[in-house]
Amino acid sequence: MTQPARTRFAPSPTGYLHIGGARTALFAWLYARHTHGQFILRIEDTDRKRYVPDAVEKIIEGLRWLGLDWDEGPDVGGPYGPYIQSQRLEKYQQAADWLVEHGHAYRCYCTPDELAEMRAQQQARKEKIGYDRRCRWLSPQERAAKEAEGRSWVVRLAVPLEGQVTFHDVIRGQVTFQNAELQDAVLLKADGFPTYHLAVVVDDHDMAITHVIRGEEWISSAPLHVHLYHAFGWELPVFAHTPSILKPSGKGKISKRELTTPDGTTIPVMLHQYPGLGYLPEAMFNFLSGIGWSLDDHTEIYDKETAIKHFDLKDINPAPARFPAEKLDWMNGVYIRKLSPEALHQRLLPFLSRDLGIPQEELAKDERLKVLIPAIQERIKRLIDATPLVDYLYVDEVDLGDPLSLVPRKTTPQETVTILHAIIDELQAVAAWDEATLEQTLRALARTRGWKAGQVFAPIRQALTGKKVTPPLFPILVALGREESLRRLQRALRILQAHLEQP
RNA sequence: GCCCCCAUCGUCUAGAGGACUAGGAUGUCAGCCUUUCAAGCUGAAGACAGGGGUUCGAAUCCCCUUGGGGGCGCCA
């Protein structure tokens, strides 16, 4: 058995949770649960300029919807709190001071304007872009002078000038960078807030995180973090840089607040958009876990417990993946079909209520709807797909459109009038109004009169719903009841006849 | 431009030197079923990016090329 791991998901509240972030969180959660360790939620709100007020709330909502839970976090507390970085500022400031005192970092007095100017010059001379370390070599006297001027300063990491750093990544193996390629990154900003680099390292160490699981966009700053761990004399955590999820087009990774178009259709990339479209959280979980990881060589549908049992970081595929949107729809359909009719009924209520403008309580009691649930269950991929399959129940008069739409293929309008008459006669006389009896009766009618079943069914479908595509007829007849069904059939017949009598 | 990561059917993936005639899924197409549409079942087409090595043997190891992704901020 592997050692219990402490993993964390550390989103920045500069926006909402997107698919890629959710999948990374899911992997970190899976690994914590797999090892019977802990999963921690930490909020990295060190960028005051880009802070989005309700982002934390939305992110938490999204993670919970997905079915993730955390042992420690801003909302649940824990022994290593606080779990919000803006509440831990002293820790970072102390850490930065310590680094400066011990020669691992230095104060830099350059202003943003000076830095911009420096970069512009580097660009003009086609030199490598990056901080030229001018403040690293300042003499004590020069420093004293800068401070006397009252200039503000940032703390920068003094990276080794030569040699290389190597770290081990569970899903990529050894990764090596030349120190000469590294920047003297800012650790503490002029406003006293830490940058990501300082804050993650300090917090991951403080919170006893054993596995740093994050998106692959962090690979290039990992060497900086390794140097920080070394400077502090701390033990390195295990790194796992998760592959990014690309747009369905394959061009670029999925980014915040962007809707992507594969071939005309738009696909939401923010997690919070999915519940409202009628995707089930258990389907979403299953689906997301299957991007960059697979249970085995043939299992597609599995629950959380099974995933936990099989999951391992080292099995993550390092290659970036496109977002396979079509597969999500298929999988969501699978999960919808797995629901009991009662459960599906419950989950459908908010969507139908919204689309039909009918209070949920009213719909919940509607027996007609219940009759139709099993029939629509295998016909929808998302919860929002149900509305057009039941909306005809809730209209006073069906919109028949062109009266000739009542006429089936290979049938004349006159013949259709005859068929409708026969249907109405038959249904008025039918002994019991249940699916079996109705089917028997109508099939018998077709047989004795020499009509194809479709010639009888098509006009009924059209008369009752005004649609060409609907769930099966008999549940609809039962749902509407004898009286309403006949009323709609008679009205359809009248309209067709009237149409035929016109010159 | 420089650095890093990556490379199996259209797409998501299995594959850790011989078990590969490269497996599963999705999507597509066809057939069956059938009252429409679905669902279901059957079947088909469909991939190791290219080139060099290493080895008795390579999808699997190494190198190069190409292609994709990421990074190069007082953003995370």
Side-chain angles (χ1 to χ4, degrees):
Chain A
M1 191 63 209
T2 10
Q3 289 296 304
R6 282 177 62 83
T7 69
R8 51 40 170 197
F9 179 57
S12 167
T14 52
Y16 303 148
L17 230 202
H18 61 103
I19 296 297
R23 202 274 314 258
T24 299
L26 194 148
F27 281 169
W29 180 86
L30 275 172
Y31 193 66
R33 295 293 171 250
H34 173 77
T35 61
H36 302 284
Q38 291 92 42
F39 179 60
I40 290 109
L41 178 67
R42 183 175 71 218
I43 302 300
E44 310 216 323
D45 59 341
T46 56
D47 185 346
R48 296 187 298 174
K49 299 187 195 79
R50 295 198 304 157
Y51 185 78
V52 175
D54 65 336
V56 172
E57 189 188 333
K58 280 281 172 43
I59 289 168
I60 286 180
E61 245 178 61
L63 293 172
R64 291 224 186 274
W65 177 75
L66 246 195
L68 307 191
D69 57 346
W70 39 97
D71 306 284
E72 300 166 30
D75 53 341
V76 298
Y80 296 91
Y83 294 90
I84 297 180
Q85 291 186 328
S86 59
Q87 296 171 14
R88 303 169 62 82
L89 298 182
E90 331 76 64
K91 287 178 189 286
Y92 312 122
Q93 283 156 5
Q94 281 166 16
D97 286 348
W98 189 93
L99 288 170
V100 172
E101 279 166 34
H102 291 78
H104 296 117
Y106 58 92
R107 287 184 180 182
C108 166
Y109 305 92
C110 299
T111 64
D113 285 349
E114 287 169 337
L115 293 173
E117 157 100 40
M118 176 199 69
R119 280 189 211 102
Q121 286 181 10
Q122 286 167 336
Q123 203 147 34
R125 285 187 243 118
K126 298 201 168 168
E127 289 171 1
K128 218 191 281 183
I129 310 270
Y131 182 57
D132 60 11
R133 302 188 163 114
R134 61 182 71 164
C135 290
R136 182 161 169 176
W137 317 120
L138 256 27
S139 68
Q141 293 80 359
E142 288 170 317
R143 279 181 198 287
K146 297 272 191 192
E147 308 246 347
E149 278 177 42
R151 291 184 72 142
S152 63
W153 41 266
V154 302
V155 173
R156 284 182 185 270
L157 176 64
V159 298
L161 274 7
E162 300 169 336
Q164 47 183 214
V165 230
T166 296
F167 62 93
H168 184 261
D169 181 298
V170 224
I171 81 185
R172 289 156 210 275
Q174 302 280 89
V175 180
T176 302
F177 284 79
Q178 297 300 318
N179 284 331
E181 302 290 343
L182 272 29
Q183 297 282 319
D184 279 3
V186 172
L187 300 177
L188 199 69
K189 308 179 214 175
D191 62 4
F193 274 63
T195 60
Y196 174 82
H197 306 301
L198 215 217
V200 250
V201 170
V202 167
D203 284 349
D204 283 340
H205 174 262
D206 266 16
M207 298 180 182
I209 299 301
T210 59
H211 292 68
V212 171
I213 301 165
R214 64 198 347 172
E216 70 172 321
E217 64 270 26
W218 294 108
I219 293 180
S220 37
S221 43
L224 252 29
H225 306 160
V226 170
H227 279 128
L228 275 170
Y229 277 98
H230 288 336
F232 284 122
W234 294 338
E235 194 186 336
L236 283 176
V238 174
F239 290 102
H241 291 97
T242 283
S244 34
I245 297 181
L246 276 28
K247 299 172 191 176
S249 65
K251 291 283 176 201
K253 71 166 190 168
I254 275 179
S255 55
K256 306 199 170 185
R257 77 168 64 99
E258 181 185 1
L259 292 187
T260 45
T261 62
D263 46 296
T265 46
T266 58
I267 292 168
V269 295
M270 307 306 284
L271 218 226
H272 73 266
Q273 299 174 97
Y274 283 84
L277 291 168
Y279 289 94
L280 308 187
E282 52 274 49
M284 200 65 185
F285 181 98
N286 190 160
F287 168 73
L288 247 22
S289 74
I291 306 176
W293 180 77
S294 70
L295 190 94
D296 56 29
D297 61 354
H298 64 279
T299 310
E300 299 286 339
I301 305 295
Y302 46 83
D303 60 17
K304 279 195 287 202
E305 297 313 310
T306 311
I308 288 170
K309 204 166 138 200
H310 291 256
F311 186 81
D312 198 328
L313 290 174
K314 68 175 172 20
D315 296 329
I316 294 174
N317 177 352
R322 297 183 190 191
F323 184 80
E326 344 69 49
K327 203 163 180 175
L328 171 59
D329 281 348
W330 162 75
M331 193 173 279
N332 202 57
V334 170
Y335 276 86
I336 284 178
R337 274 171 254 134
K338 280 158 70 104
L339 257 26
S340 69
E342 295 72 32
L344 178 58
H345 179 77
Q346 283 305 313
R347 299 228 204 184
L348 246 21
L349 292 176
F351 294 89
L352 296 176
S353 171
R354 182 191 64 192
D355 294 348
L356 298 168
I358 299 170
Q360 277 197 46
E361 314 77 62
E362 197 174 313
L363 283 172
K365 288 180 292 193
D366 188 354
E367 293 300 322
R368 302 179 305 164
L369 186 54
K370 286 184 192 167
V371 170
L372 248 23
I373 296 287
I376 65 172
Q377 185 154 23
E378 60 191 24
R379 266 161 260 266
I380 58 174
K381 285 180 164 21
R382 302 168 302 175
L383 266 15
I384 50 166
D385 297 333
T387 306
L389 298 180
V390 300
D391 57 2
Y392 48 84
L393 291 177
Y394 304 97
V395 297
D396 293 330
E397 296 291 15
V398 171
D399 177 11
L400 292 174
D402 180 358
L404 291 180
S405 61
L406 287 158
V407 179
R409 293 165 146 265
K410 295 180 182 168
T411 311
T412 65
Q414 278 309 330
E415 217 174 341
T416 306
V417 170
T418 310
I419 293 172
L420 274 169
H421 265 302
I423 291 168
I424 291 166
D425 287 346
E426 210 59 45
L427 292 184
Q428 272 171 336
V430 75
W433 198 262
D434 59 67
E435 291 186 37
T437 310
L438 288 166
E439 178 159 8
Q440 245 171 21
T441 307
L442 290 170
R443 282 190 192 283
L445 170 68
R447 208 177 319 115
T448 55
R449 301 292 294 263
W451 294 320
K452 288 200 150 90
Q455 287 180 293
V456 176
F457 295 150
I460 302 179
R461 166 169 292 111
Q462 189 66 32
L464 298 184
T465 69
K467 294 170 194 264
K468 288 257 179 293
V469 174
T470 73
L473 229 45
F474 305 107
I476 295 179
L477 279 164
V478 171
L480 285 172
R482 188 195 298 255
E483 190 186 338
E484 176 65 9
S485 297
L486 282 166
R487 196 181 69 76
R488 292 188 183 191
L489 283 161
Q490 278 157 343
R491 173 168 173 264
L493 175 58
R494 275 201 310 279
I495 287 173
L496 180 58
Q497 278 177 322
H499 179 78
L500 294 180
E501 282 160 16
Q502 275 172 17

